Amino acid sequence: MASQDGIFKIKGTLGGVTFYKTKDGHLAREKGGIDKKRMAKDPAFKRTRENGSEFGRAGTYGKYLRSAFRPMLNNTSDKRVVSRLVKDLMTIIKTDTVNARGERTPVEGNFELLRGFEFNSNGLLSNTLYVPYNASIDRASGAASIELPELVPEQMISAPAGTTHFKIVAGASEVDFQAGNSLTAYTGTAEIPWDNTSLAPLTLDLALTAASSLPLVLLLGVEFYQEINGVFYMLNNGSYNALAVVNLSKQ
């Protein structure tokens, strides 16, 4: 690897040398790598192919999970949520004791490890909502619910500067990771003043397909708003909103 010097910087490949820009400046390197045909067939790269297959599967599962909750993630996620989710799914894949290496899946592994995954590292639910809650899934009836006790918002919900109101939101989805589709239900409160007024116990109910055989995932989140002249604006475009996996059922 070499750095580029001079007034004019080059991007692209020229004469077997690739020119590119990084945070460290404009660099250049000789084109290299292993031939694709060799990578696909050579026994020496069997482990590489297996790792690549499982990494791709983790990426696909992550994509389908994010798609299932897309409306919620539009308001709540960070720039690294994709890579963080894939990393966790790769960890789960390695717990699959059913399939051979290279064919392992997150659902055949300890899918429960996904519980607690935070979609926004800038607004963690664990550092936002300071009350115990009960998040339940009844696979037989398809009912999912989140129960919160009486709380005082200013004391039990950590809000960013400028917050005047907040919402408690929830989503439940049955995700078909094979077909790549999902059925998702959403619910949430109206905008609630963020003040010292005690809020009565709250239950958020969601309905999925009864006796579904698909993996079920339940999310809980908090969204922050600022009221200006009777209009509610999401604070900082949702950059501090919290959203996390609070329960799931593999089968």
Side-chain angles (χ1 to χ4, degrees), residues 230-244:
V231 179
F232 295 100
Y233 297 91
M234 187 166 285
L235 198 66
N236 295 322
N237 295 319
S239 59
Y240 295 107
N241 290 345
L243 184 68

Side-chain angles (χ1 to χ4, degrees), residues 3 6 28 64-65 67 78 103 112 120 124 136 163 171 173 186 221 228 249:
S3 61
Y64 292 159
L65 182 61
S67 295
D78 60 50
E103 301 297 328
E112 177 68 22
N120 185 9
L124 303 177
S136 63
T163 297
S173 184
Y186 304 99
I228 301 177
S249 175

